């Protein structure tokens, strides 16, 4: 299922195709990716795709999608847009890109498109949470125009830097 298209990217559902599962397995086995996450996916990558589909079924605004460069080549990574755990309706945008796709602007481009889509659907604000020291993700938040809110353990029970972007038509 295609969610969005930008000038350079297709944002689509992950599938259980051999290519998608192999790319997910590679992405979520990389130490340079896992150091910023809570660990590898439990139950394997096919189960991960199923859980992500359940997230989308529970709330059609939410999902964890493949970021596919239109120029060809492998999927760049995952774009997440989902309710924050233990929250009160806040939505999080996040990205997990394969190291071979870092430095191309894919995270910023994909996140900006999904956030714009959410704002057009009436969501008043979007959050991002970043592990301390993850300067690449902090830079994406900055490029998106997000405001830093400081450190919190509120949503994930671990120390994270929180960022927020308010929809242009919402007065803070």
């Amino acid at each position: 299922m295609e969610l969005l298209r930008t000038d350079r990217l297709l944002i689509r559902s992950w599938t259980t195709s051999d290519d998608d599962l192999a790319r997910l397995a590679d992405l979520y086995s990389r130490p340079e990716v896992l150091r910023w996450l809570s660990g590898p996916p439990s139950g394997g990558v096919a189960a991960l795709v199923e859980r992500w589909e359940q997230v989308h079924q529970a709330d059609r605004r939410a999902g964890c999608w493949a970021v596919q460069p239109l120029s060809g080549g492998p999927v760049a990574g995952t774009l997440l847009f989902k309710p924050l755990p233990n929250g009160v309706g806040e939505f999080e945008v996040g990205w997990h890109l394969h190291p071979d796709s870092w430095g191309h602007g894919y995270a910023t481009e994909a996140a900006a498109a999904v956030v714009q889509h959410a704002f057009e659907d009436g969501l008043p604000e979007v959050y991002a949470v970043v592990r301390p020291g993850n300067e690449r993700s902090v830079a994406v938040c900055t490029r998106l125009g997000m405001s830093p809110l400081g450190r919190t353990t509120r949503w994930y029970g671990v120390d994270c830097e929180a960022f927020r972007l308010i929809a242009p038509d919402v007065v803070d």
Side-chain angles (χ1 to χ4, degrees):
M1 175 190 103
E2 179 175 329
L3 173 70
L4 292 170
R5 203 175 272 260
T6 70
D7 289 342
R8 300 183 306 146
L9 302 171
L10 170 64
I11 302 168
R12 63 164 176 85
S13 297
W14 281 103
T15 71
T16 54
S17 72
D18 290 344
D19 286 347
D20 273 8
L21 292 179
R23 187 63 169 174
L24 279 168
D26 185 24
L27 171 64
Y28 290 109
S29 69
R30 299 278 175 161
E32 60 267 50
V33 173
L34 291 177
R35 73 181 288 205
W36 307 115
L37 306 177
S38 299
S42 60
V45 292
L48 183 63
V49 171
E50 176 60 31
R51 286 194 304 273
W52 286 344
E53 179 57 28
Q54 290 170 2
V55 166
H56 184 64
Q57 293 302 323
D59 186 326
R60 300 304 281 177
R61 300 171 296 178
C64 302
W65 300 288
V67 178
Q68 178 78 55
L70 292 173
S71 60
V75 172
T78 302
L79 192 285
L80 304 95
F81 191 76
K82 60 189 183 65
L84 280 159
N86 307 312
V88 291
E90 306 98 332
F91 267 75
E92 168 189 16
V93 64
W95 42 88
H96 305 155
L97 266 60
H98 193 284
D100 66 14
S101 296
W102 292 356
H104 299 284
Y106 296 152
T108 303
E109 186 173 333
V114 168
V115 167
Q116 179 63 36
H117 183 70
F119 287 164
E120 289 169 0
D121 281 349
L123 202 65
E125 61 189 5
V126 172
Y127 291 81
V129 292
V130 176
R131 291 284 179 98
N134 188 343
E135 296 306 321
R136 287 180 177 272
S137 284
V138 169
V140 171
C141 292
T142 300
R143 286 191 295 274
L144 291 171
M146 300 185 100
S147 300
L149 300 176
R151 288 194 181 187
T152 184
T153 59
R154 176 177 171 197
W155 295 297
Y156 288 101
V158 296
D159 203 27
C160 291
E161 297 286 345
F163 295 84
R164 180 177 67 175
L165 183 63
I166 298 174
D169 58 347
V170 174
V171 177
D172 189 20

